[in-house]
Amino acid sequence: MNQALQSRQAVLGQIERACVHAQREPTSVQLLAVSKTHPCSSLRAMYSLGQQCFGENYLQEALEKIKQLQDLSIEWHFIGHVQRNKTKHLAEHFAWVHGVDRLIIAERLSSQRLASQAALNICLQVNIDAQDSKDGCAPADVAELVAQISQLPNLRLRGLMVIPAPNNSAAFVDAKALFEQVKSLHAQPQDWDTLSMGMSGDLDAAIAAGSTMVRVGTALFGARDYHQTLII
């Protein structure tokens, strides 16, 4: 069994066991493969095993991969911090953007999404446990942002994304409560279906709390090569 297949089966098995323990259907949790700093060859190998959703943090690296892998039907997710000067590329090249935390960013994505494209799926990034080092809006701001952003054209506001501090599993419970609390404020509540939380080290706790999408990199691809400069 090759390494990519073994790694993917191990992660899917962990997700399934966590769902069983939480009395949830395994199909209710989507696996997002976090492929930042990994070469296109690794993405091709994972795609050949059935993985279609890939998450990237760094825009220039992601754009190069999108170009190199355009022959594959990959669903590209941007999961890094969203800056104003990056919104045009994000709006044109990605299916999902997870790091939206301000109205102005959502407005720019909406106006820059091409009319020929399907609506851009977005998640609000929430700094759920008030970490100084983390991006994201404050939980108290979420209700107003949901009400405003859900009315913008060319976007589908799908839910929340959180990255709690390590070993703070209680933050997952808080995120789930917030997710349910603000649903009624969404202009299209049927679109409110995504709670993106949980990574390689804490996906069990995230799934127990209600995550619908886990972002896994190291467990799928191995340790990242931060010194890699050419992604081919």
Side-chain angles (χ1 to χ4, degrees):
M1 182 185 298
N2 68 46
Q3 185 60 50
L5 177 60
Q6 187 175 11
S7 297
R8 188 167 187 268
Q9 287 186 339
V11 172
L12 292 176
Q14 185 181 0
I15 292 172
E16 182 173 3
R17 290 190 297 274
C19 286
V20 169
H21 188 263
Q23 298 184 318
R24 298 178 57 190
E25 288 293 328
T27 54
S28 68
V29 179
Q30 184 177 13
L31 172 59
L32 179 61
V34 178
S35 46
K36 63 180 180 181
T37 78
H38 294 290
C40 288
S41 57
S42 295
L43 277 71
R44 283 190 180 276
M46 201 60 65
Y47 181 89
S48 72
L49 300 173
Q51 182 66 37
Q52 289 188 302
C53 302
F54 292 84
E56 292 283 330
N57 288 61
Y58 309 120
L59 181 58
Q60 291 306 314
E61 176 189 336
L63 293 175
E64 181 61 27
K65 287 178 178 176
I66 290 170
K67 179 180 178 181
Q68 294 283 341
L69 300 172
Q70 59 185 311
D71 57 307
L72 306 181
S73 297
I74 288 176
E75 182 180 272
W76 293 102
H77 294 236
F78 188 77
I79 57 177
H81 179 58
V82 181
Q83 299 173 325
R84 287 194 188 195
N85 62 348
K86 295 180 179 180
T87 56
K88 187 175 189 295
H89 290 298
L90 296 178
E92 292 182 2
H93 295 287
F94 289 81
W96 286 72
V97 176
H98 290 238
V100 177
D101 58 5
R102 290 169 287 162
L103 178 60
I104 185 62
I105 295 296
E107 290 174 334
R108 289 175 65 88
L109 290 170
S110 176
S111 67
Q112 293 168 335
R113 186 69 167 177
L114 300 178
S116 59
Q117 294 177 288
L120 178 64
N121 300 289
I122 66 171
C123 289
L124 286 176
Q125 182 173 355
V126 184
N127 190 349
I128 194 66
D129 50 357
Q131 297 178 71
D132 292 337
S133 60
K134 284 288 188 294
D135 298 309
C137 64
D141 296 334
V142 171
E144 183 176 3
L145 285 171
V146 168
Q148 294 172 325
I149 294 175
S150 65
Q151 298 182 59
L152 294 175
N154 305 318
L155 301 181
R156 287 184 68 193
L157 178 57
R158 301 294 294 270
L160 306 179
M161 187 268 269
V162 300
I163 310 173
N167 302 314
N168 186 13
S169 58
F172 292 136
V173 177
D174 293 340
K176 172 63 171 177
L178 181 62
F179 177 84
E180 297 296 343
Q181 176 187 332
V182 301
K183 180 177 181 177
S184 63
L185 302 174
H186 198 298
Q188 303 293 333
Q190 68 274 11
D191 287 344
W192 191 251
D193 59 7
T194 302
L195 187 51
S196 174
M197 62 183 190
M199 298 184 285
S200 295
D202 57 12
L203 67 82
D204 292 60
I207 289 172
S211 172
T212 67
M213 183 183 293
V214 292
R215 307 179 303 274
V216 179
T218 302
L220 283 175
F221 296 104
R224 299 188 180 99
D225 181 3
Y226 287 101
H227 300 291
Q228 183 175 324
T229 58
L230 182 62
I231 306 296
I232 58 174

